[in-house]
Amino acid sequence: MKITVPTLLIDKAKALNNIHNMLEKAKRNNVRLRPHFKTHQSAQVGEWFRAAGVEAITVSSVRMAKYFAKHGWKEILIAFPANVLEIESINELASRIKLHLVAVNIETVEVLAKELKHPVKLWLKIDTGYRRTGIMAHDHADIDRILTKIEASANLSFEGFLVHDGHTYKQTELDAVQTIHNTTVYLLHLLRDRYKKKFPNLQLSLGDTPSCSMLENLKGVDEIRPGNFVFYDLTQQRIGSCSFEDIAVCMACPIVAKHPERHEIILYGGSVHFSKDVLLQEDATSSYGRIVNLKGTSWSEPLEGIDLVSLSQEHGIVRASPELFSKYQIGDLMGILPVHSCLTADLMRGFRTTEGEAIEHLSGIPEQELTF
Amino acid sequence: MKITVPTLLIDKAKALNNIHNMLEKAKRNNVRLRPHFKTHQSAQVGEWFRAAGVEAITVSSVRMAKYFAKHGWKEILIAFPANVLEIESINELASRIKLHLVAVNIETVEVLAKELKHPVKLWLKIDTGYRRTGIMAHDHADIDRILTKIEASANLSFEGFLVHDGHTYKQTELDAVQTIHNTTVYLLHLLRDRYKKKFPNLQLSLGDTPSCSMLENLKGVDEIRPGNFVFYDLTQQRIGSCSFEDIAVCMACPIVAKHPERHEIILYGGSVHFSKDVLLQEDATSSYGRIVNLKGTSWSEPLEGIDLVSLSQEHGIVRASPELFSKYQIGDLMGILPVHSCLTADLMRGFRTTEGEAIEHLSGIPEQELTF
């Protein structure tokens, strides 16, 4: 079908290659890959993982867990501090699948202990440096209190310690990512040593895409949970997690106006399509996406001398060199690599493979289709 | 129904008041209000306008036009450079309603002249200073060429000149907004003087929310097209378009974790709910939303000493004074005024009035429900 409006394309071969590479790396390191599905949020992309042997997954909301449970996933970790207001849906899920939850505060564990009607595996989220959320790795008193509460609960079982090193997203050098990762593994090992007598099977889980992509050695933990790697994006390329060729999604946007006096091209494609996530360039200008040539079932490397420099709600402004400006006509489709594929996919509510297959995204699924 | 997940609330009394005030101002100035529906994108909110006497509306995409046409709107202006790739849908719409389109380049007009099968009113978008898109107001040669093309077309009729002064969004002083507005009206009058002999009924249309909200005198044009004013937001409050009390939408987000050592509260509510739009504070810190107390069918003024300081995909981080920190518990709902109501509404895909009525948003409507 002809593309007439902003459309998020998937190069399926690239996505499959990204999945394959991460699975192979997990195997080489003897760690379990429990991929995070928040980037694609798609039943069909989930099947690509299932075909590659994945059985247990990570999501970041109860809604996402319901969606993938409906699509046959039997073991799901909701890697977000459990939202006790959703206890009804949590119980519903726990009655159907092997559900893993995450807690940070004892108050949450108290509610779960009281309200759960079915078994749930509980991870404690540990903060090893990111400072978003999590129990500080040295806060043994807090951990002890929570573990006592878990042990006294009929339906909670302690699964292990879980970390998200989101501060790797601020790095652009391998050494920095390596140091963050080593620190985390060191702190997790201290915790395991402290608690392994009581919980000999306790698991260690981490999983930011930069660490999992950039480091060869991921030994020392039991599982990794990267998510963005399935598609990657310009942010990951900047960090060093991937090359431009690994980026498996690309926006296609209609050109609706041209301004020859300033070599600017106006796209149908704005912040409601791309998101407002921005990449600060080395020359201190901002980029909302890099321009590529769409060709056949894929696209080129980013072009030099042309950039998506501004977004408003529905408009994108592309500034080009005079040479490139003259190559584009009103009614053409322009290809743009996104800054942050998770947010772009969420806004676009669906994809199309470059071979024409429509691919759904949870954000395009009405609420009523998620009830069992 | 109990709120358990991030929810966008509407205080309907405030929204109705905002609608009433803008309509009254339009009447006092003897200009037509053709409200932009891109902020709410809701059939139900549209009915509030209809009940107040509005018959002709503005939207920013063909998709939005289809949606409101299905909901009985008979005169719709798509205030976005016409996307010639959607000519099929444009023809479908033009066969059913009084459709207004916008053009910036002669190439677009040529395609429309050739492909249109039904009458369409065409506006020329003029750039009077914003420099996003539009024909420069002094570019008479370009305008002449396009008007000649329109006159030779069977289905196009020239409706007038249309401006969007988006640069008012960068202002925070009445004088600056007044100067921008006066410049635009002056340039539009020069254009009208030049072309009124040939087109005695040509219309002048402008419509950014700051100008329409802040200025008492809007005479000199035929219509205004503000949109954001129905809800307003923190951005408009900062500009000076509204007071905090006028903001008619508020997020309600569950508290999922607390960090006493740094007085930070973790919300279920991140960039996939709020958008990444940010307000730079006077102390150079960034705010993603201001915290209010939810009470009864409304909410308080923003609280001092507490702020939404960071967003990731699903997490929001609120930093509070020790006193305020201690007042919030895990499982509470926190109220947050959004930075940019258009983007937040688009992401949330629906609203709930503070009286419990579910209100739809186009972004939650599946594509197949938009076909006639």
Side-chain angles (χ1 to χ4, degrees):
Chain A
M1 216 177 80
K2 207 184 145 198
I3 292 175
T4 62
V5 294
T7 301
L8 185 53
L9 301 172
I10 302 181
D11 182 331
K12 185 174 171 180
K14 288 186 178 188
L16 291 178
N17 192 51
N18 292 339
I19 294 169
H20 171 82
N21 287 346
M22 194 59 81
L23 271 168
E24 286 301 307
K25 184 184 276 192
K27 275 183 204 154
R28 284 197 301 278
N29 281 279
N30 198 27
V31 297
R32 180 173 51 242
L33 174 64
R34 193 196 295 272
H36 206 310
F37 275 16
K38 73 172 182 169
T39 301
H40 60 79
Q41 294 186 45
S42 172
Q44 291 133 298
V45 177
E47 293 308 316
W48 304 348
F49 280 90
R50 182 136 48 196
V54 169
E55 290 181 350
I57 65 169
T58 309
V59 301
S60 51
S61 67
V62 170
R63 180 174 151 83
M64 237 181 270
K66 283 159 83 173
Y67 171 70
F68 285 109
K70 281 213 74 158
H71 285 281
W73 293 90
K74 298 291 181 203
E75 181 175 353
I76 302 179
L77 160 62
I78 305 178
F80 187 84
N83 174 19
V84 295
L85 294 177
E86 290 182 281
I87 190 70
E88 212 173 298
S89 295
I90 288 170
N91 269 320
E92 170 77 35
L93 276 166
S95 75
R96 297 173 179 274
I97 62 165
K98 192 191 277 191
L99 183 66
H100 298 236
L101 296 177
V102 167
V104 175
N105 297 87
I106 194 162
E107 292 86 345
T108 305
V109 180
E110 283 167 347
V111 176
L112 293 176
K114 194 166 154 236
E115 306 278 353
L116 278 177
K117 299 193 178 105
H118 306 278
V120 160
K121 294 180 181 296
L122 194 66
W123 295 78
L124 294 192
K125 176 146 193 174
I126 304 298
D127 185 340
T128 56
Y130 181 28
R131 299 293 182 273
R132 182 174 66 183
T133 188
I135 308 165
M136 300 298 280
H138 57 261
D139 198 349
H140 301 145
D142 222 24
I143 295 170
D144 289 347
R145 267 195 301 275
I146 295 178
L147 288 177
T148 304
K149 184 62 69 181
I150 294 173
E151 283 186 280
S153 151
N155 284 312
L156 287 172
S157 62
F158 176 55
E159 188 72 1
F161 298 109
L162 171 148
V163 170
H164 175 67
D165 277 339
H167 44 324
T168 57
Y169 279 71
K170 303 281 181 195
Q171 313 307 321
T172 54
E173 288 180 14
L174 180 63
D175 276 2
V177 172
Q178 184 74 64
T179 299
I180 288 171
H181 179 76
N182 291 355
T183 306
T184 290
V185 173
Y186 172 74
L187 290 168
L188 285 175
H189 284 186
L190 289 179
L191 283 171
R192 184 166 61 189
D193 289 348
R194 187 179 164 92
Y195 293 101
K196 74 181 171 194
K197 206 173 226 169
K198 203 160 194 180
F199 304 97
N201 298 318
L202 79 82
Q203 302 284 294
L204 302 179
S205 173
L206 53 78
D208 55 296
T209 283
S211 297
C212 296
S213 299
M214 293 165 78
L215 308 180
E216 263 314 306
N217 185 342
L218 296 169
K219 294 187 172 74
V221 295
D222 299 293
E223 73 171 28
I224 57 172
R225 311 181 320 276
N228 179 282
F229 74 91
V230 60
F231 296 151
Y232 288 121
D233 52 33
L234 293 177
T235 300
Q236 294 294 337
Q237 188 278 334
R238 171 68 58 86
I239 295 167
S241 305
C242 67
S243 66
F244 286 122
E245 300 105 88
D246 299 323
I247 300 175
V249 285
C250 180
M251 290 285 285
C253 291
I255 293 174
V256 293
K258 286 186 74 183
H259 293 285
E261 68 284 6
R262 52 184 192 267
H263 303 118
E264 287 182 358
I265 295 165
I266 308 299
L267 299 182
Y268 177 16
S271 50
V272 295
H273 306 99
F274 285 93
S275 95
K276 274 276 180 109
D277 250 18
V278 62
L279 203 62
L280 196 67
Q281 306 278 69
E282 277 159 33
D283 62 0
T285 58
S286 295
S287 174
Y288 293 88
R290 292 287 304 273
I291 314 305
V292 297
N293 286 325
L294 300 170
K295 48 180 192 183
T297 57
S298 195
W299 46 79
S300 72
E301 293 257 298
L303 306 177
E304 296 297 329
I306 184 166
D307 206 10
L308 180 56
V309 297
S310 175
L311 293 177
S312 47
Q313 188 163 347
E314 309 264 359
H315 300 73
I317 300 184
V318 172
R319 198 171 295 146
S321 66
E323 297 67 36
L324 282 171
F325 179 82
S326 65
K327 290 193 178 161
Y328 292 94
Q329 307 306 327
I330 288 170
D332 287 353
L333 288 176
M334 187 177 273
I336 306 105
L337 299 181
V339 171
H340 189 167
S341 58
C342 310
L343 297 188
T344 304
D346 181 72
L347 281 162
M348 292 301 299
R349 302 178 188 104
F351 314 83
R352 176 183 302 266
T353 68
T354 49
E355 276 150 352
E357 189 192 353
I359 303 278
E360 69 180 40
H361 184 288
L362 171 56
S363 63
I365 308 292
E367 199 61 37
Q368 60 271 23
E369 288 184 25
L370 298 181
T371 50
F372 285 97
Chain B
M1 216 177 80
K2 205 183 145 199
I3 292 175
T4 61
V5 295
T7 300
L8 186 54
L9 301 172
I10 302 182
D11 182 331
K12 185 173 170 180
K14 289 186 179 190
L16 290 178
N17 191 51
N18 293 338
I19 293 169
H20 171 82
N21 287 346
M22 194 59 80
L23 271 167
E24 286 301 307
K25 184 184 274 192
K27 274 183 203 153
R28 284 198 301 278
N29 280 279
N30 197 28
V31 297
R32 180 172 54 241
L33 174 64
R34 194 197 293 272
H36 206 310
F37 276 15
K38 72 173 183 169
T39 301
H40 60 80
Q41 295 185 43
S42 172
Q44 291 134 297
V45 178
E47 293 309 317
W48 304 349
F49 281 91
R50 183 138 46 195
V54 169
E55 289 182 350
I57 65 169
T58 309
V59 300
S60 52
S61 68
V62 170
R63 179 174 152 84
M64 238 181 270
K66 283 159 84 173
Y67 171 70
F68 285 109
K70 280 212 75 157
H71 284 281
W73 292 90
K74 297 291 182 204
E75 181 175 354
I76 303 179
L77 159 63
I78 305 177
F80 187 83
N83 174 18
V84 295
L85 294 177
E86 290 183 279
I87 190 70
E88 213 173 297
S89 296
I90 288 170
N91 269 320
E92 170 77 35
L93 277 166
S95 75
R96 295 173 180 274
I97 62 166
K98 192 191 276 190
L99 183 66
H100 297 236
L101 295 177
V102 167
V104 174
N105 297 87
I106 194 162
E107 292 85 346
T108 305
V109 180
E110 284 168 346
V111 175
L112 293 176
K114 192 165 156 236
E115 307 277 352
L116 279 177
K117 299 193 176 106
H118 306 278
V120 161
K121 295 181 180 296
L122 194 64
W123 296 78
L124 294 192
K125 175 146 194 174
I126 303 297
D127 185 340
T128 56
Y130 182 28
R131 299 293 181 274
R132 181 173 68 183
T133 187
I135 308 166
M136 300 298 280
H138 57 261
D139 198 348
H140 301 145
D142 222 22
I143 295 170
D144 289 347
R145 266 195 304 275
I146 295 178
L147 289 177
T148 304
K149 183 61 67 179
I150 294 174
E151 285 186 278
S153 151
N155 284 312
L156 287 173
S157 62
F158 176 55
E159 188 71 3
F161 298 109
L162 172 150
V163 170
H164 175 67
D165 276 339
H167 44 325
T168 58
Y169 279 70
K170 302 283 181 194
Q171 313 307 322
T172 54
E173 289 179 13
L174 180 64
D175 276 1
V177 172
Q178 185 74 63
T179 301
I180 288 172
H181 179 75
N182 291 354
T183 307
T184 290
V185 172
Y186 173 73
L187 290 169
L188 285 175
H189 283 186
L190 288 180
L191 282 172
R192 184 166 61 188
D193 289 347
R194 188 179 163 92
Y195 293 101
K196 72 180 173 193
K197 204 171 229 172
K198 203 160 193 179
F199 302 97
N201 298 318
L202 79 84
Q203 302 284 295
L204 302 180
S205 173
L206 52 79
D208 54 296
T209 282
S211 297
C212 296
S213 299
M214 294 166 76
L215 308 180
E216 264 314 308
N217 184 342
L218 295 169
K219 293 186 172 75
V221 296
D222 300 291
E223 73 171 27
I224 56 173
R225 309 181 322 275
N228 179 283
F229 74 91
V230 59
F231 295 150
Y232 287 122
D233 51 33
L234 293 177
T235 301
Q236 293 295 336
Q237 188 278 333
R238 171 67 59 85
I239 294 166
S241 305
C242 67
S243 66
F244 286 122
E245 301 104 272
D246 299 324
I247 300 175
V249 286
C250 180
M251 289 287 284
C253 291
I255 293 175
V256 294
K258 285 186 74 185
H259 293 285
E261 69 285 5
R262 52 184 191 267
H263 304 117
E264 287 181 357
I265 295 166
I266 309 299
L267 299 181
Y268 176 16
S271 50
V272 295
H273 306 99
F274 285 92
S275 95
K276 274 276 180 107
D277 250 18
V278 63
L279 203 63
L280 197 66
Q281 307 279 68
E282 277 160 31
D283 63 357
T285 58
S286 294
S287 175
Y288 293 89
R290 291 288 302 274
I291 314 305
V292 297
N293 285 325
L294 300 170
K295 47 179 189 182
T297 58
S298 195
W299 46 79
S300 71
E301 293 257 300
L303 307 177
E304 297 297 329
I306 184 166
D307 206 10
L308 180 56
V309 297
S310 174
L311 293 177
S312 48
Q313 188 164 348
E314 309 263 359
H315 300 72
I317 299 183
V318 172
R319 197 172 294 147
S321 66
E323 296 68 36
L324 283 171
F325 179 81
S326 65
K327 290 194 180 159
Y328 293 94
Q329 307 306 328
I330 288 171
D332 286 353
L333 288 176
M334 186 177 274
I336 306 105
L337 299 181
V339 171
H340 189 167
S341 59
C342 310
L343 296 188
T344 303
D346 181 72
L347 281 163
M348 292 301 300
R349 302 178 188 105
F351 315 83
R352 176 182 302 265
T353 68
T354 49
E355 278 151 351
E357 188 192 353
I359 302 277
E360 70 180 39
H361 183 289
L362 171 57
S363 63
I365 308 293
E367 199 59 38
Q368 59 272 24
E369 289 184 25
L370 299 181
T371 50
F372 285 97

